[in-house]
Amino acid sequence: MPTSKSDYIVTASQSYISRSANILVAPNLHSKGKSVIQKNVTIHGEFGAPIHIGRYVYIDEDVEIVPSVIPTSSDPLLTTSSSSGSGGVGSKIIPQPPTENEKALPVIIGSHTKIGNNCTIHSIAIGSCVRIGSNCRIYPRSKIHDCCIIENDSVIPPDMVISPFSRVRGNPARIVGSLPECSGGEFVEDCVQEYTRFVRELGE
């Protein structure tokens, strides 16, 4: 819940970024506006890849967003960092910027998407109208399409692609159900209302 408007930086596009969020190399963060980034969020723009956030996105506390890192060459003798997702599923990946033999991939987060607290996001793309619960780990090079629910404590393995209208849970995560096609409209309305309520409460 918001505390005071002075706790946030308000951008020209009407996004609210907590002053205790850690936006590394801020020019690499591109937001379409009317989004909320809460306290203790870390966004790793120092990897050199752009991070795109749509409209009406809500990123809760203690979330870390890290671009995926891939080799620039197929030569197996070249040294690469540990941030590429080679560790066991469920283990913590320590973010490391790309070496001279690597490159970071852009991160795209669609509009009307919510990310719960204490999540680590290494995905290359999260679609619009996605709900990610608390304490989730989304591993490198994974992709979540539009209108999905990722339940609390889920761990999405490297390179996993989640199709639209999927419900996902588990460690490692698997698709356990589907969502009705009307979900997208409901998610849009929910995000717009939550943003409006957030701004109103800051002004009270």
Side-chain angles (χ1 to χ4, degrees):
M1 297 297 292
T3 52
S4 169
K5 190 171 183 179
S6 63
D7 294 330
Y8 294 87
I9 297 169
V10 184
T11 70
S13 58
Q14 297 301 302
S15 286
Y16 287 75
I17 301 175
S18 171
R19 293 187 182 275
S20 63
N22 192 16
I23 313 298
L24 302 173
V25 188
N28 283 334
L29 175 62
H30 306 278
S31 173
K32 291 186 177 179
K34 295 192 174 182
S35 294
V36 177
I37 298 176
Q38 288 288 17
K39 65 181 182 180
N40 300 325
V41 170
T42 300
I43 298 179
H44 288 273
E46 84 277 19
F47 280 38
I51 298 170
H52 299 276
I53 296 176
R55 289 170 61 82
Y56 295 105
V57 172
Y58 186 92
I59 302 176
D60 210 343
E61 299 176 8
D62 301 304
V63 169
E64 187 171 24
I65 299 176
V66 188
S68 295
V69 174
I70 61 171
T72 55
S73 170
S74 59
D75 186 346
L77 298 180
L78 291 177
T79 301
T80 58
S81 71
S82 62
S83 60
S84 58
S86 57
V89 174
S91 62
K92 175 71 172 179
I93 297 177
I94 299 174
Q96 295 185 13
T99 67
E100 62 180 7
N101 301 318
E102 297 173 316
K103 65 178 180 179
L105 300 176
V107 179
I108 299 174
I109 300 175
S111 298
H112 308 102
T113 285
K114 296 170 67 175
I115 301 175
N117 67 291
N118 197 37
C119 290
T120 303
I121 309 293
H122 291 261
S123 179
I124 58 174
I126 297 172
S128 296
C129 301
V130 172
R131 297 293 180 270
I132 298 177
S134 300
N135 306 309
C136 293
R137 290 186 181 175
I138 317 294
Y139 272 68
R141 305 176 304 277
S142 58
K143 185 174 184 179
I144 304 171
H145 283 277
D146 296 344
C147 299
C148 291
I149 293 178
I150 313 300
E151 296 189 5
N152 293 344
D153 305 304
S154 295
V155 178
I156 296 179
D159 303 302
M160 183 175 184
V161 177
I162 298 174
S163 56
F165 299 99
S166 294
R167 178 180 289 273
V168 174
R169 78 164 68 103
N171 178 11
R174 61 188 181 91
I175 296 174
V176 297
S178 60
L179 304 179
E181 292 187 4
C182 63
S183 299
E186 294 173 355
F187 290 167
V188 167
E189 183 178 357
D190 176 63
C191 279
V192 172
Q193 289 180 351
E194 183 163 341
Y195 174 85
T196 302
R197 182 167 57 250
F198 172 89
V199 173
R200 183 177 64 248
E201 291 177 355
L202 277 185
E204 291 179 351

